[in-house]
Amino acid sequence: MHPKGSCAASAALLVISGVVTSSGLHAAEQELAPVVVTATRFSEADPRIAANISIISRQDIRNMPTQNLPDVLRTHAGIDVRQLGGAMGRDALVDVRGFGSTATSNTLILLDGLRLNPADLGSIIWSAIPLESVERIEIIRGSGTVLYGDGATGGVINIITRKGRRVLASAAGEVGSYGYRAADLSLANSKDGVYFDLVANLAEASGYRHNSQQDQRTASGRAGVQFERGQAFVDFAAYKESAGEPGSIFSAAYRNDPRSTRSPHNVSERDGYRLRPGVSYELGDRLAFEAEFAFDHQQLVARYVSSFGATASDRVRDTTSFTPRLRWRHDLAAVPSETVLGFDYYHGEVTSNNTGFADQGAEQTSTAFYLQNVSRLSEHLSLTLGARRQRMAQEARQDAYAAFFSPAMKGRASRSRSATDLGLAYAQDAWKVYAKTGSTFRFANLDELFGLDASFNPVFVGDLKPQQGRINEVGGSLRLGSANLRASFYRLKLADEIAYDGNLGANVNLPSTRRQGAELEADWRIVDGLQVKGSYAYTDARLRRAPYADNAIPLVARHQAGVQLIWDSGRPGTYSAAVRHVGARRYNGDYDNAHGMLAGYTTLDLQAAWVVKPWRITARLLNALDRKYSPLAGYSSFYNDTYYYPADGRAFFVAGRFDF
């Protein structure tokens, strides 16, 4: 519980367009058609759907001067990443299309199709996804509600891991600034249809700020067997991490000593595991079946010390899911057509035993049916139709707490919502244009069900409505020789958007909000060995009705831009430089727009990599100009001051990898 313009659908379809991929520096790689899973929940070489899709390849990741997975994501248009510090990306928030403090509840993160977003306000466990295990990342901006349901209003990011490799083993080590040390070990084998991929990682750092030490231990992988018409597999991951919690600092400390902390004794420990068996099977030439069953367990223990005393929390979260689906390739009269039908079941439960506060518990069960059809109306024109119906049943309880004379609370609610999609895409060999319209929704998460009345007694926020709205979008892409260009223009209108209003001290439904903007990306191989990538996003995110009519939504930058230059010297060395700019934003919680602007920032990151097989040596200089900035900051009415989460200063890292 903590924390104008014309309609985009009427924009001309004369937008830059083409085959969407950005992969390495070599022409042969550029011409390979990417396989996309996220667009239909089945692997498709050319899904032909009306959507803005970006693919980050494994080679792209290696060429980026980035230290962790959230850093990789922020290199693309329309994606803002707010990290709370540290080289490991811990608790980073990924925001697609401008949702500010509710980004995690509106941007869906998938790992091989598995939802990683928690049922509460917890964060994504990025440490359980080592970069070494990532094959590619698929990004679909704009609502993915029809296929993926609740929480996909801003877009869907699907992280695809490596699978079924031939015999391969590697070991790596890395050292860097602020006491950073890490080691990785990966092992893979594939023979006679049986395969496994294993990755283990250890990392620790003393941290840039006081009390910002971190350590993590992770192991993940997949084992499977392939047979004539399909495969069976099991994915697994286990992690254990601990960290200091330096928290925020007020404006005077931020100006004079950004490495300081107000909470030198606050710490947290988090451990968990994930297990997901699955199967895929071709039932015939035109019918395919896939299904997964997943169980995710996490325990978070936090200890806080303040002027009011010491408190502790032991929070356990369990999530179970079952996601079967069918793909049926058929004809509608003489029109080639493909339909995906699926069922999603999710159950999440959270219990929190608290010292210094009342114990709490909450759970939810979600069931949904969905359908998506893609029909080829002609050789070049495709029509996409989709629909979803989802039901969410939730309940929450809080025990009585005599110390504050607080009574017990218990409540339950059940709500249902529907979403639809309609899109047209016209594609030639070197260009594509599309237009789409669709609806979206989001239910309250488990933490948002808890509230307080005027007497500060606990209440069940059962009258918190699901947010819902409509998105209209046009866009496309163009390939001109060795250049790929892509653009999209959109408008998203939401009613009853769920947010935390600090002025009221409660989770509320905002009466009306609107987001509109443009996303542009370019990738140009200037000459052999020299490549430049650029991105720009314009985001206008506003509240539309009283009491905050026409005010900007906090934490959303109107302008974001990035440029990356990559030079493959033709010898063992590859060199890259990346500049990233994020514009000014309103402070978190400042719906009144009354407390000024959080300053924007521009950073420069550098990387050099040398490959002399079987060795790969990488050196990175991040925030090379040592800019002082804060990706996240807010205004506290209690202290009448702004508070900041300072980013790390200049940092240098050297890594070595040996492939056996």
Side-chain angles (χ1 to χ4, degrees):
M1 296 187 297
H2 302 291
K4 303 178 179 179
S6 62
C7 176
S10 65
L13 286 178
L14 297 177
V15 289
I16 45 183
S17 102
V19 177
V20 182
T21 186
S22 166
S23 56
L25 299 176
H26 305 290
E29 291 180 347
Q30 293 280 14
E31 295 170 359
L32 290 175
V35 174
V36 179
V37 178
T38 316
T40 64
R41 295 182 69 162
F42 284 85
S43 296
E44 302 281 356
D46 183 10
R48 288 285 185 98
I49 70 165
N52 181 1
I53 305 174
S54 296
I55 297 176
I56 305 175
S57 72
R58 182 173 178 81
Q59 188 61 43
D60 291 333
I61 296 172
R62 285 191 164 183
N63 287 334
M64 291 177 184
T66 53
Q67 192 65 19
N68 52 61
L69 192 50
D71 275 350
V72 171
L73 296 173
R74 73 188 181 105
T75 61
H76 278 250
I79 302 178
D80 187 21
V81 174
R82 294 184 287 277
Q83 296 208 44
L84 301 186
M88 302 176 195
R90 190 176 187 272
D91 292 336
L93 303 177
V94 177
D95 189 353
V96 177
R97 291 189 170 174
F99 282 87
S101 61
T102 62
T104 300
S105 297
N106 286 283
T107 301
L108 185 61
I109 308 296
L110 307 173
L111 180 65
D112 294 318
L114 172 67
R115 293 174 70 103
L116 297 183
N117 299 59
D120 56 7
L121 281 174
S123 56
I124 305 295
I125 312 300
W126 299 105
S127 65
I129 319 172
L131 272 178
E132 174 59 25
S133 69
V134 177
E135 178 66 29
R136 68 184 187 278
I137 302 171
E138 300 173 2
I139 302 169
I140 297 185
R141 301 169 185 82
S143 175
T145 304
V146 164
L147 275 183
Y148 294 98
D150 173 47
T153 300
V156 179
I157 297 174
N158 195 3
I159 302 158
I160 310 297
T161 59
R162 306 183 76 185
K163 309 171 187 73
R165 294 176 287 166
R166 57 183 176 81
V167 178
L168 180 66
S170 66
E174 185 170 10
V175 295
S177 301
Y178 315 121
Y180 182 80
R181 296 181 295 178
D184 294 279
L185 178 66
S186 67
L187 181 64
N189 197 359
S190 177
K191 184 178 181 180
D192 298 330
V194 178
Y195 67 89
F196 67 85
D197 289 87
L198 306 174
V199 179
N201 169 265
L202 297 86
E204 61 181 28
S206 54
Y208 171 72
R209 297 179 59 197
H210 303 314
N211 194 37
S212 65
Q213 69 279 359
Q214 300 179 16
D215 69 79
Q216 65 183 34
R217 309 287 186 270
T218 66
S220 60
R222 168 181 283 212
V225 56
Q226 297 174 327
F227 37 87
E228 183 178 357
R229 302 187 69 89
Q231 68 168 316
F233 64 88
V234 59
D235 292 330
F236 55 90
Y239 57 89
K240 184 178 181 62
E241 58 183 37
S242 64
E245 302 286 354
S248 63
I249 54 177
F250 289 118
S251 55
Y254 177 64
R255 288 192 302 269
N256 300 316
D257 186 10
R259 302 183 70 169
S260 64
T261 178
R262 293 187 298 126
S263 52
H265 306 295
N266 291 1
V267 295
S268 66
E269 298 176 356
R270 186 163 53 191
D271 64 83
Y273 59 88
R274 180 174 62 245
L275 191 67
R276 184 175 73 148
V279 63
S280 62
Y281 190 75
E282 296 287 339
L283 299 172
D285 293 338
R286 290 175 168 258
L287 191 63
F289 172 77
E290 293 186 4
E292 301 88 19
F293 174 84
F295 180 73
D296 190 307
H297 171 83
Q298 182 193 119
Q299 181 175 18
L300 172 63
V301 179
R303 295 184 292 276
Y304 303 102
V305 180
S306 69
S307 57
F308 300 102
T311 60
S313 173
D314 186 348
R315 189 177 181 93
V316 176
R317 184 177 70 218
D318 291 311
T319 305
T320 305
S321 65
F322 178 53
T323 54
R325 57 200 175 275
L326 281 169
R327 179 180 63 189
W328 179 28
R329 290 175 170 148
H330 56 90
D331 296 332
L332 296 175
V335 176
S337 184
E338 175 179 302
T339 299
V340 173
L341 307 97
F343 170 76
D344 287 341
Y345 168 87
Y346 293 95
H347 178 80
E349 183 173 359
V350 177
T351 59
S352 183
N353 297 318
N354 305 307
T355 302
F357 295 96
D359 294 345
Q360 296 177 328
E363 64 179 290
Q364 65 181 32
T365 300
S366 166
T367 54
F369 292 92
Y370 63 89
L371 176 150
Q372 179 177 273
N373 175 265
V374 180
S375 296
R376 298 286 181 95
L377 303 182
S378 70
E379 180 183 358
H380 303 291
L381 183 64
S382 298
L383 171 68
T384 302
L385 296 169
R388 167 181 283 258
R389 181 67 174 175
Q390 185 167 344
R391 178 181 180 273
M392 180 73 77
Q394 298 175 310
E395 62 179 73
R397 63 165 180 82
Q398 182 167 307
D399 295 347
Y401 192 60
F404 291 148
F405 306 101
S406 176
M409 177 275 289
K410 188 173 183 178
R412 63 177 59 190
S414 179
R415 296 183 181 273
S416 298
R417 284 294 183 271
S418 298
T420 58
D421 273 343
L422 168 64
L424 277 173
Y426 188 90
Q428 293 280 1
D429 289 341
W431 60 272
K432 169 185 171 183
V433 293
Y434 71 86
K436 63 179 291 187
T437 183
S439 54
T440 183
F441 58 78
R442 173 173 92 84
F443 299 102
N445 62 52
L446 292 180
D447 283 332
E448 290 169 332
L449 300 176
F450 293 87
L452 299 173
D453 63 15
S455 301
F456 298 98
N457 290 321
V459 294
F460 176 71
V461 193
D463 59 348
L464 198 62
K465 303 174 185 176
Q467 74 179 35
Q468 54 191 333
R470 176 161 292 277
I471 182 170
N472 298 309
E473 181 175 338
V474 295
S477 50
L478 173 66
R479 188 177 67 237
L480 291 172
S482 60
N484 291 323
L485 312 173
R486 181 169 55 255
S488 62
F489 306 88
Y490 67 91
R491 172 175 280 190
L492 170 64
K493 289 185 175 181
L494 293 177
D496 299 320
E497 181 171 345
I498 302 170
Y500 181 78
D501 188 336
N503 293 329
L504 301 176
N507 297 303
V508 300
N509 288 119
L510 301 173
S512 178
T513 58
R514 185 206 64 203
R515 291 163 178 84
Q516 60 186 12
E519 296 151 342
L520 310 173
E521 290 186 329
D523 179 347
W524 180 27
R525 193 178 66 256
I526 303 171
V527 295
D528 285 344
L530 185 62
Q531 183 181 25
V532 63
K533 299 182 180 185
S535 66
Y536 170 75
Y538 171 82
T539 308
D540 181 22
R542 295 188 176 275
L543 301 109
R544 298 298 294 161
R545 294 183 184 174
Y548 306 119
D550 209 36
N551 286 359
I553 294 175
L555 291 181
V556 179
R558 181 165 291 195
H559 303 283
Q560 295 184 66
V563 177
Q564 182 184 5
L565 186 66
I566 306 166
W567 176 43
D568 186 342
S569 66
R571 298 182 177 87
T574 301
Y575 309 90
S576 61
V579 176
R580 173 73 173 165
H581 172 75
V582 177
R585 298 133 288 158
R586 291 290 177 179
Y587 286 99
N588 187 32
D590 183 18
Y591 289 104
D592 290 318
N593 288 186
H595 301 290
M597 303 286 285
L598 171 61
Y601 60 90
T602 302
T603 58
L604 170 65
D605 301 317
L606 305 171
Q607 176 176 286
W610 301 272
V611 178
V612 182
K613 293 184 178 181
W615 284 97
R616 177 182 175 87
I617 307 296
T618 305
R620 299 185 186 94
L621 184 62
L622 306 183
N623 192 8
L625 302 179
D626 201 22
R627 298 298 191 194
K628 184 179 77 172
Y629 68 96
S630 179
L632 176 62
Y635 175 78
S636 170
S637 57
F638 182 82
Y639 290 98
N640 191 30
D641 198 359
T642 49
Y643 58 89
Y644 300 83
Y645 292 86
D648 287 6
R650 181 190 293 119
F652 180 68
F653 301 89
V654 177
R657 177 171 301 278
F658 184 87
D659 294 324
F660 295 94

